[in-house]
Amino acid sequence: MTKVIKLTRGFDIKIEGVPAKKNNSTFTSKTFSIKPIDFHGLAPIPKLLVAEGDEVMAGDQLFFDKQNDNIFYTAPVSGEVIEIRRGEKRAITEIIILADQVVKYRQWGKADVNSISNTEIIDRMLDSGAWHFLKQRPYDVAANPKDEPKAIFISGFDSAPLAPDYNFIMAGKQFDFQNGIKILSKLTKGKIHLSLSSDHKPCDTFDYAKGVEVHWFSGPHPAGNVGIQIHHIDPINKGDTIWYINPQDVANLGKLFTEGIYQPERTVAYAGPELIHTGYIKTLQGANISEIIKNNLKNTHVRYISGNVLTGKKIEANGHLGYYDHLLTVIEEGDQPELFGWLIPAYPRPTKSSAFLAYMNEAPSGFRVNTGMHGEERAYVVTGQYESVLPMDIYPVNLVKAIMARDFDLMEGLGIYEVSEEDFALCEFVCTSKVEVQEIIREGLDYVRSQN
């Protein structure tokens, strides 16, 4: 092991219900979905290519963005399109597919990953829907195929609360992962960076990866965030573009070329204090969660979160996982009032403040948390809390205020190009003023993007 980048700022939120590494079984959901709202920058009403009742194969095109008509969004499974859900102003929120018992795949043919050209790679990724495996900084949106990134980043660990263990998930996927690396190497003249945690021995897939520059990180969350890793390895300046991709999708990308099929496989962790059993399942993107939670709840008054408790989205008991989510979290709804809850520490809870005694009596397995905010938005005061949990050399409060004031030049000077809302999730957690920091950061990113 070479140099370790040690981060001292951050905070690990310890929650009961860590996913057990024993139930890594194949899971077949009856329905799968794809949600346009998972893709920042996509027009709210994309151009549909299917209608309810249509039969599709895995990899068939479902819709495309009217602003980028060469980037297609495709079906994760074969089956019948049974519902196209719409929200406000008829925006499309979800396309649901009733899956076949045996998935049928659209075929692209096998390719030699050593000799295939850059143009062929991009064309197949756009046509198959695999292009969305790639996201870009700045703006944290889908990568633009017209760009050439200065580097591509892969974070081999996740430090968020109850996060899945990628050393467990990626074990045994060395062949597909290495082929995915070869494909990525043809999309950039720069380096491919693989970031790993120095606290754990990496799985063979990461340990023997070739064609990547490995970096080691230690420290609390958000050490696993790719934005934090970019900041410490190869910071983004104005005009730079960096792409990043999840390790599971690197393997899926390899399979797209070696087997000629689009198979967005996901090993998903299900975790949280309100589940009787936790674990991992192998499925495909957009799986329905109802079978996962069936007969597996300690309490029915719960919230289902696609993703982690800091950045995930609320879904229903019969909802589907988001496109980029590899975790289902189940915690208790915190909608019950607390008598003098602001004064008396009623129960142990995670907190960054040592002045509040509720952080004491932490169980070895973590805290049994709920969704309670313990307060509402109030005057925005400078406390220094953000700086204690954000391991980046920027002024977070100043940046948030610059966004609120829509001061474009100040936003640029304070590092808007380097950040994403997930990097500020802990700032929102510790914020005394209960400000929706992540929402403000997203507004700032969208504003800067619209002005460039």
Side-chain angles (χ1 to χ4, degrees):
M1 187 182 299
T2 55
K3 179 183 176 184
V4 176
I5 300 174
K6 298 180 180 178
L7 306 179
T8 55
R9 286 178 282 171
F11 185 55
D12 286 326
I13 302 175
K14 298 177 182 177
I15 300 177
E16 185 182 319
V18 174
K21 299 174 189 174
K22 59 181 181 181
N23 299 326
N24 193 8
S25 56
T26 300
F27 168 76
T28 303
S29 170
K30 291 181 180 176
T31 61
F32 290 79
S33 85
I34 185 166
K35 307 172 188 177
I37 55 175
D38 286 339
F39 308 96
H40 289 301
L42 176 65
I45 307 181
K47 179 64 176 178
L48 277 175
L49 299 173
V50 294
E52 291 182 0
D54 285 356
E55 295 285 339
V56 295
M57 291 194 294
D60 277 353
Q61 296 163 355
L62 299 178
F63 59 90
F64 63 85
D65 187 355
K66 294 172 183 174
Q67 301 170 9
N68 297 288
D69 58 6
N70 62 338
I71 304 178
F72 294 96
Y73 299 77
T74 57
V77 293
S78 63
E80 179 188 356
V81 178
I82 58 171
E83 185 176 359
I84 297 174
R85 291 183 180 171
R86 293 181 181 270
E88 295 181 357
K89 300 181 181 179
R90 293 190 57 74
I92 298 170
T93 58
E94 195 167 11
I95 297 174
I96 301 175
I97 299 170
L98 179 63
D100 293 334
Q101 290 191 342
V102 178
V103 178
K104 297 187 284 288
Y105 294 96
R106 184 182 167 197
Q107 299 291 326
W108 278 272
K110 298 179 180 179
D112 184 350
V113 296
N114 296 306
S115 60
I116 191 170
S117 70
N118 171 285
T119 304
E120 290 174 294
I121 290 171
I122 293 176
D123 288 345
R124 180 177 294 198
M125 289 180 67
L126 290 172
D127 190 44
S128 65
W131 187 260
H132 307 291
F133 293 159
L134 292 167
K135 296 184 76 176
Q136 77 161 50
R137 298 288 177 96
Y139 313 129
D140 198 15
V141 294
N144 185 344
K146 296 177 182 176
D147 292 337
E148 182 179 326
K150 72 169 184 173
I152 297 177
F153 276 73
I154 305 164
S155 178
F157 69 106
D158 190 340
S159 55
L162 301 176
D165 183 344
Y166 282 104
N167 285 324
F168 177 71
I169 289 174
M170 295 302 294
K173 295 185 177 181
Q174 189 173 352
F175 177 77
D176 290 329
F177 185 78
Q178 191 58 54
N179 284 322
I181 295 294
K182 290 179 180 176
I183 294 297
L184 292 175
S185 68
K186 294 174 183 287
L187 298 177
T188 179
K189 294 175 183 173
K191 296 178 180 177
I192 299 176
H193 299 279
L194 173 63
S195 300
L196 301 173
S197 169
S198 64
D199 299 331
H200 305 282
K201 186 181 185 306
C203 63
D204 289 350
T205 301
F206 293 147
D207 207 15
Y208 298 115
K210 295 181 176 61
V212 297
E213 185 167 305
V214 177
H215 305 272
W216 300 91
F217 282 81
S218 71
H221 183 64
N225 283 14
V226 72
I228 304 300
Q229 295 162 7
I230 292 171
H231 178 81
H232 288 274
I233 296 169
D234 191 4
I236 300 174
N237 297 309
K238 185 176 183 180
D240 290 342
T241 299
I242 282 178
W243 291 352
Y244 68 95
I245 182 171
N246 184 279
Q248 294 204 70
D249 287 335
V250 177
N252 292 331
L253 188 59
K255 196 175 293 185
L256 174 66
F257 289 89
T258 57
E259 297 184 18
I261 58 173
Y262 174 69
Q263 188 180 41
E265 189 175 279
R266 299 278 188 271
T267 296
V268 177
Y270 53 101
E274 302 309 319
L275 288 179
I276 299 172
H277 304 290
T278 63
Y280 291 80
I281 53 167
K282 289 181 181 177
T283 184
L284 294 169
Q285 173 265 312
N288 185 283
I289 68 164
S290 57
E291 289 297 321
I292 302 174
I293 60 174
K294 186 177 180 181
N295 300 324
N296 194 21
L297 294 176
K298 298 176 183 174
N299 168 21
T300 56
H301 191 53
V302 297
R303 180 175 298 186
Y304 308 100
I305 301 170
S306 179
N308 65 65
V309 294
L310 293 172
T311 61
K313 295 176 181 173
K314 178 183 176 182
I315 57 176
E316 301 301 322
N318 63 347
H320 299 83
L321 294 166
Y323 187 89
Y324 295 105
D325 295 329
H326 304 256
L327 170 66
L328 169 66
T329 308
V330 184
I331 61 175
E332 184 181 14
E333 281 287 2
D335 52 1
Q336 298 300 316
E338 290 181 51
L339 183 63
F340 299 117
W342 56 273
L343 181 63
I344 303 172
Y347 61 90
R349 66 186 69 166
T351 174
K352 190 73 168 59
S353 172
S354 57
F356 192 60
L357 298 179
Y359 73 93
M360 299 178 69
N361 301 319
E362 175 195 342
S365 58
F367 294 101
R368 186 168 187 170
V369 302
N370 62 39
T371 62
M373 292 284 290
H374 310 296
E376 56 189 14
E377 188 169 333
R378 59 202 71 158
Y380 196 26
V381 294
V382 178
T383 60
Q385 294 170 312
Y386 292 9
E387 289 80 358
S388 69
V389 295
L390 182 62
M392 302 175 85
D393 293 327
I394 64 173
Y395 298 102
V397 175
N398 301 58
L399 177 58
V400 170
K401 289 185 174 181
I403 294 171
M404 295 168 79
R406 292 294 187 270
D407 188 328
F408 182 87
D409 292 335
L410 198 53
M411 278 190 266
E412 279 194 339
L414 291 169
I416 185 74
Y417 294 118
E418 288 205 77
V419 304
S420 171
E421 53 263 52
E422 71 171 4
D423 300 327
F424 277 71
L426 275 176
C427 298
E428 189 171 293
F429 173 77
V430 301
C431 183
T432 302
S433 303
K434 307 294 182 185
V435 172
E436 300 283 354
V437 183
Q438 294 186 79
E439 185 178 318
I440 295 171
I441 294 295
R442 173 42 62 188
E443 290 174 359
L445 292 170
D446 291 343
Y447 177 74
V448 173
R449 188 183 182 207
S450 69
Q451 300 298 309
N452 283 324

